[in-house]
Amino acid sequence: LWPAPDRVGTAVDPEFGQDTAWGFGGWFWYGSAWWLPAVFTVLAIAAVLVGAIGRRGQRGRRSRVTELLSAGHRTPGTVTAVSGTTTPDAALTLLRWTFTFTDSAGQTRWVERTNGFPHGSAPTIGATITVLYDPTRPGDKRSIFAAVTGGGSQEDYLRPGM
């Protein structure tokens, strides 16, 4: 990577002969030939693991929505809070929003989500949405999905940030 030192542990002064011992920085960079590749290897492995875990979670959500579209229950819900608005400067704006719906047992449920929305497509307070949930486990927030528009297809319920 770079040339070997004249003497390991010593900064050689060929002009005046005033050699000095390496400090922490000298030893740090001398050893980087071993620790730097290890750091990059660990970062690469961590990136692969995080990506694999994310894809696995996305596949799980996608299969739950597919399952719920055939065996779940759809009901209207109401948006009760939205943390902000979308911006035209970003492809997606992450917003925290809350909606409420009444399950098949008559219990009102409140759900808070953080999702990405393209400009102009954020939910508005008081808007009616379609809520898809598992009637056997209406309190399981992992099995509650909301569609701001539509509600007939799987993609209506899956938003970035879920």
Side-chain angles (χ1 to χ4, degrees):
L1 211 55
W2 41 78
D6 294 330
R7 254 185 293 162
V8 175
T10 305
V12 176
D13 182 358
E15 296 291 322
F16 301 106
Q18 297 176 352
D19 299 347
T20 56
W22 286 353
F24 174 76
W27 284 108
F28 179 80
W29 289 114
Y30 178 72
S32 68
W34 297 281
W35 63 260
L36 205 53
V39 166
F40 286 121
T41 301
V42 167
L43 290 175
I45 291 169
V48 167
L49 288 174
V50 166
I53 291 167
R55 282 188 298 281
R56 182 177 171 200
Q58 191 175 34
R59 275 194 306 271
R61 285 187 296 279
R62 192 168 291 282
S63 68
R64 276 196 305 271
V65 169
T66 301
E67 185 180 306
L68 290 174
L69 281 171
S70 61
H73 188 71
R74 285 183 224 177
T75 187
T78 305
V79 177
T80 58
V82 180
S83 67
T85 60
T86 58
T87 176
D89 300 334
L92 292 174
T93 304
L94 283 178
L95 298 175
R96 182 174 297 274
W97 63 297
T98 307
F99 60 91
T100 183
F101 70 98
T102 304
D103 65 19
S104 55
Q107 182 175 355
T108 301
R109 303 212 179 253
W110 296 76
V111 181
E112 184 176 82
R113 294 276 193 251
T114 300
N115 297 121
F117 294 94
H119 181 60
S121 70
T124 55
I125 295 175
T128 300
I129 59 171
T130 304
V131 179
L132 177 65
Y133 70 96
D134 185 349
T136 62
R137 299 176 306 181
D140 181 9
K141 294 195 178 191
R142 292 176 300 150
S143 295
I144 299 173
F145 298 91
V148 177
T149 58
S153 75
Q154 183 184 57
E155 296 305 317
D156 293 337
Y157 295 99
L158 297 172
R159 307 196 67 73
M162 290 187 73

